[in-house]
Amino acid sequence: TRRILPAVLVVLFALVVIGLVYFGSIPVRYTLTPGTVSDVDIAAPRSVIDTNETKTRAQESMNEIAPIYVRSEDISEKDISNLTKLFSICIELRNNNLNSDGSFKETYRDLSNNLIQSVKNNFGVTLSDEESFQLITADQTLLTDIQTQAVSIASVILSDKVDDATLAKQVNELTSNISSSPSSLYVSNSALIKSLLQNFIEPNAVYDQVSTDAARQTAYNSTINNPVMIEKGTRIVSYGDVITQNTFQTLQDLDLIYSNNFDFTLLGGIVAYMMVVFTIMGLYLVRFEPELAKNPRDIFALSLSYLIPVVCAVYFSGISTLVSPVYFTAVIIATYLGAQSGIVLSLLQIMIILPICQFDVEFVFTSVIGVFVCSMIAGQRSRKYNSASLILLTALACFLASVGINLVLKSSRTDILTSALWAVIAGSVSVIAAIGFMPIFELISN
């Protein structure tokens, strides 16, 4: 019986704590739907990702990415090849027009018309009469010079990626300084080369669907991975507001919409979380307080000192997370088991209450400081502590810790004063209650 009873007490304690923490971790939920009017003010109980705003910004970031164009080697080579082939056709027509005695088979006009028709058939380009006649009648030196300059300029332009605007600009710039030969009878070299480039060179910048999609997806993911946050305490809904779809989504993300479904995920998480805390607590008691772990009355007394602050946290954490009287347990345990056990077991109690307080960093910091101070004073073995000094120093430590953490968090002056007030009340009332309850615990644990 002596072995079974402690085990039963431990199991009952664990089940009660898990039930209390689960009940206390469930946020206040509201029966709101899109289109309804809220009859309450609702603030974020914890920080949460603003899903709608994050997705909106991610979409904007994606849309800001301009289409990506790359240089097409195929188009560049085709343009140079067509331009070179034009002059080959022209030279071939000129050479084939000569008889063996040096006379011409056709007149220049007929030859010019043949060139116009051949260029149109091969490239879909229509040369003007002046341009065609110039190419047919120019002496070989001038024709070679025109070909060299035209191909050279085309190669320079197409060596880089060019779109319509860039192409037109570069053609104008690179042909503006071409000098006209005295033998240019019908059209200047500059005008002829410019016209040939405009007709035979097309933009080699082609749309790269894969790269564009990849860049846009990267921009989208970058924004999603750096989400917009709704900070704890931010007002989500004000009295009289109409619930929009976006607001409803935010309330769902915060788990503030009422549902008839039992939250098995939350319960499972709390069970796993508590098993870790209970395991550490058990290992500590077996290693450093083995006699207490064997005595049912001591286990009951320890459990009771643990449960009182947990119950208070469940019902009062909505007022302020700092209201949780963790110092009650610290004083009781440190007085009878020493400062070390007071600190260690009280820190584990803070871990137990943490889910109820929505893992609030202010609660953790203030409670840890307060627990250290009151445990060190209450756990003195050399002499009995002075109750007044325990109360005052614990309250002072909680006050300074609360003010310090709120200054770091850059809270408003009102929030700093409010938090400091609750910290002082929790610290002093917890210690006073612990001192008052000590005779009862002495009676329980003998």
Side-chain angles (χ1 to χ4, degrees):
T1 304
R2 287 185 176 182
R3 293 183 178 181
I4 296 176
L5 186 57
V8 172
L9 288 174
V10 168
V11 172
L12 287 176
F13 168 75
L15 292 176
V16 171
V17 169
I18 290 174
L20 286 171
V21 174
Y22 171 76
F23 179 74
S25 300
I26 300 174
V28 177
R29 294 191 173 108
Y30 305 89
T31 54
L32 297 171
T33 56
T36 59
V37 178
S38 175
D39 58 355
V40 292
D41 295 330
I42 304 176
R46 56 184 171 83
S47 296
V48 69
I49 294 175
D50 190 336
T51 306
N52 297 300
E53 183 62 23
T54 299
K55 287 183 178 180
T56 298
R57 293 190 183 185
Q59 189 64 45
E60 290 174 353
S61 297
M62 187 171 69
N63 294 338
E64 288 173 358
I65 301 298
I68 296 176
Y69 290 85
V70 296
R71 178 180 179 273
S72 171
E73 185 66 30
D74 292 339
I75 294 177
S76 302
E77 291 179 354
K78 178 176 72 70
D79 289 350
I80 298 296
S81 175
N82 288 344
L83 190 59
T84 303
K85 187 177 179 181
L86 162 69
F87 287 98
S88 298
I89 292 173
C90 179
I91 292 171
E92 184 179 358
L93 286 173
R94 287 164 54 116
N95 292 338
N96 291 339
N97 194 45
L98 288 174
N99 292 314
S100 56
D101 59 358
S103 61
F104 295 107
K105 296 179 181 179
E106 296 182 82
T107 64
Y108 282 141
R109 176 54 58 191
D110 292 336
L111 207 59
S112 175
N113 290 335
N114 290 341
L115 179 61
I116 291 173
Q117 189 60 45
S118 180
V119 169
K120 186 174 184 179
N121 292 339
N122 282 278
F123 312 110
V125 175
T126 302
L127 296 175
S128 66
D129 290 338
E130 292 81 3
E131 293 167 348
S132 176
F133 211 76
Q134 177 74 14
L135 291 172
I136 289 298
T137 60
D139 60 55
Q140 187 60 46
T141 301
L142 176 59
L143 184 63
T144 301
D145 184 50
I146 292 172
Q147 178 180 357
T148 300
Q149 291 191 75
V151 174
S152 176
I153 293 173
S155 298
V156 169
I157 293 174
L158 294 173
S159 64
D160 198 2
K161 174 186 68 180
V162 290
D163 54 19
D164 288 303
T166 305
L167 175 61
K169 180 181 178 181
Q170 291 197 16
V171 167
N172 288 331
E173 290 178 351
L174 295 176
T175 58
S176 60
N177 295 324
I178 296 177
S179 58
S180 295
S181 169
S183 58
S184 299
L185 302 178
Y186 307 102
V187 60
S188 68
N189 291 353
S190 175
L192 176 58
I193 294 173
K194 180 178 180 179
S195 176
L196 292 178
L197 292 174
Q198 289 173 337
N199 284 312
F200 281 85
I201 303 302
E202 62 180 341
N204 63 356
V206 295
Y207 176 59
D208 190 336
Q209 180 75 46
V210 174
S211 297
T212 301
D213 290 345
R216 288 174 175 171
Q217 190 62 47
T218 299
Y220 183 89
N221 293 340
S222 177
T223 304
I224 291 294
N225 294 332
N226 295 277
V228 179
M229 298 297 296
I230 298 175
E231 298 300 332
K232 176 185 175 182
T234 302
R235 180 170 293 187
I236 306 299
V237 178
S238 296
Y239 177 85
D241 285 353
V242 176
I243 304 300
T244 64
Q245 188 61 50
N246 288 348
T247 304
F248 183 75
Q249 180 62 55
T250 301
L251 293 174
Q252 281 191 319
D253 292 341
L254 287 165
D255 196 23
L256 297 178
I257 297 300
Y258 177 78
S259 172
N260 290 325
N261 298 327
F262 186 82
D263 198 338
F264 288 100
T265 302
L266 176 61
L267 179 60
I270 287 176
V271 169
Y273 177 91
M274 288 303 161
M275 287 301 101
V276 175
V277 177
F278 292 152
T279 300
I280 297 173
M281 184 186 300
L283 292 174
Y284 178 83
L285 291 175
V286 171
R287 174 67 177 81
F288 294 98
E289 302 290 348
E291 295 302 319
L292 181 144
K294 298 175 183 177
N295 191 327
R297 297 179 69 175
D298 288 344
I299 292 176
F300 181 75
L302 178 64
S303 301
L304 184 61
S305 69
Y306 250 69
L307 289 175
I308 291 175
V310 175
V311 172
C312 291
V314 170
Y315 287 98
F316 299 125
S317 61
I319 300 173
S320 172
T321 56
L322 301 181
V323 173
S324 304
V326 292
Y327 320 106
F328 177 91
T329 305
V331 172
I332 297 293
I333 295 177
T335 299
Y336 296 110
L337 301 181
Q340 175 181 303
S341 293
I343 291 171
V344 173
L345 295 176
S346 295
L347 291 180
L348 291 173
Q349 184 184 56
I350 291 173
M351 299 298 292
I352 289 174
I353 295 176
L354 200 51
I356 301 174
C357 296
Q358 303 295 321
F359 297 91
D360 182 46
V361 66
E362 183 184 1
F363 162 72
V364 175
F365 182 76
T366 304
S367 299
V368 168
I369 297 299
V371 160
F372 265 90
V373 171
C374 67
S375 295
M376 293 296 290
I377 298 173
Q380 297 179 83
R381 293 301 188 188
S382 59
R383 59 187 176 86
K384 192 71 173 178
Y385 59 81
N386 182 283
S387 298
S389 64
L390 176 61
I391 296 168
L392 292 175
L393 291 175
T394 301
L396 178 62
C398 292
F399 172 81
L400 294 176
S402 176
V403 171
I405 189 65
N406 275 282
L407 288 175
V408 171
L409 296 175
K410 297 182 179 180
S411 302
S412 66
R413 187 174 301 175
T414 302
D415 289 340
I416 293 175
L417 293 176
T418 303
S419 295
L421 177 61
W422 282 120
V424 170
I425 292 174
S428 56
V429 172
S430 297
V431 175
I432 293 171
I435 295 172
F437 272 83
M438 276 184 187
I440 298 176
F441 281 96
E442 291 175 359
L443 182 64
I444 294 172
S445 62
N446 195 24

